[in-house]
Amino acid sequence: MPAPRDSYNPDMHVARTLPELTHYCARLREGRTALALVPTMGALHAGHRALVDAAVGTGAATVTSIFVNPLQFAPTEDLSRYPRDEAGDLATLDACGCDLVWMPDVATMYPPGGATTVDPSGPAERWEGSHRPGHFRGMATVVAKLFGQVRPDVAFFGEKDWQQLQVVTRMVADLHLPLRIVGVPTVREADGLALSSRNRFLSEAERRRAPNLYQALARTAQAIAAGGSAAELLHAARAALAVDGFGVDYLALVDGPTLEPIATAQPRARLIAAARLGTVRLLDNIPVG
Ligand code: PAF
């Protein structure tokens, strides 16, 4: 049963500077047991709404950040193409019962003279870590800054970006940061495609083929859990996706928290995949067994 919502602030506030953020966070903390943070890069969809709903549902005062973080885009990735929809995002967050939206600009997040970044290893090393060099350094740095700015008791991240969730969880443990990380299950379209801000760039034909990634994961996970040879099943799934027109960056069986490759099903096993369809790179993952 969610705790009753705060009554002093029926309307959602928007903070664009650090003094505004500090002011509103202090007010939100009055009489509330917890402050929750949902970090996002905007262009919000039902997957983000599930994160905000989960935060609001705990009864915590909920802060959602919207910041398209240049530091987590490689020079080859098109930062300027990342979708933005400030008016739509604010309306969505208002409707979800979010209390405060934190929308810093780049100069606020990265003031001149900054000399410190967070460089995660362990779960950050493989997969996205090797396909997108520097991505997790940029992600972990901005998330650490958001934690320092908002000082939440709890933060919500989607399981859709499984490796990101593990990197953040590891960082919080390693740096003894005083907050809890909660993972929220992936939200999917009816045909299985995991929601992503980038899905809007799929052509009609690509959109029809895109759910094949999830179907390949689901089929493979089931067969591995039933005792099939993981190596053979993964090989067959990659080959089938290639025939469907996917450029498969990886499709692997890993230990969920560490992202280390494993050979057989076990309780923490996860299938993870990244594959390109046209100009869109799709990420997905599911538990095995
Ligand atoms: O998942 C995202 O949208 C981003 O990586 C995050 C966590 C907001 C950091 O920029």
Side-chain angles (χ1 to χ4, degrees), residues 162-180:
W162 179 262
Q163 191 172 6
Q164 169 173 281
L165 171 62
Q166 304 316 314
V167 170
V168 170
T169 302
R170 189 70 254 163
M171 175 181 81
V172 164
D174 289 349
L175 300 183
H176 307 277
L177 300 179
L179 79 153
R180 201 161 51 85

Side-chain angles (χ1 to χ4, degrees), residues 91-138:
T92 298
L93 292 173
D94 202 10
C96 287
C98 175
D99 294 283
L100 173 62
V101 188
W102 170 221
M103 298 182 77
D105 60 14
V106 174
T108 300
M109 196 56 94
Y110 297 110
T116 306
T117 53
V118 178
D119 206 353
S121 54
E125 280 168 25
R126 298 172 189 267
W127 320 119
E128 290 308 287
S130 52
H131 282 272
R132 302 180 67 190
H135 168 69
F136 283 129
R137 181 173 54 247

Side-chain angles (χ1 to χ4, degrees), residues 17 26 44 52 77 79 90 99-100 121 140 142 152 157 164 188 190 199 202 234 248 275 287:
T17 65
L44 304 180
V52 179
E77 296 169 350
L79 168 65
L90 293 178
D99 294 283
L100 173 62
S121 54
V142 83
F157 290 81
Q164 169 173 281
R188 299 181 181 281
N199 290 352
L202 293 167
L234 292 171
V248 181

Side-chain angles (χ1 to χ4, degrees), residues 39-42 48 65 67-69 72 82 135 138-139 142-143 146 157 161 164 168:
T40 81
M41 297 207 297
H48 297 109
S65 61
F67 179 67
V68 181
N69 175 30
Q72 69 187 75
Y82 197 85
H135 168 69
M139 185 281 293
V142 83
V143 168
L146 289 166
F157 290 81
D161 292 310
Q164 169 173 281
V168 170

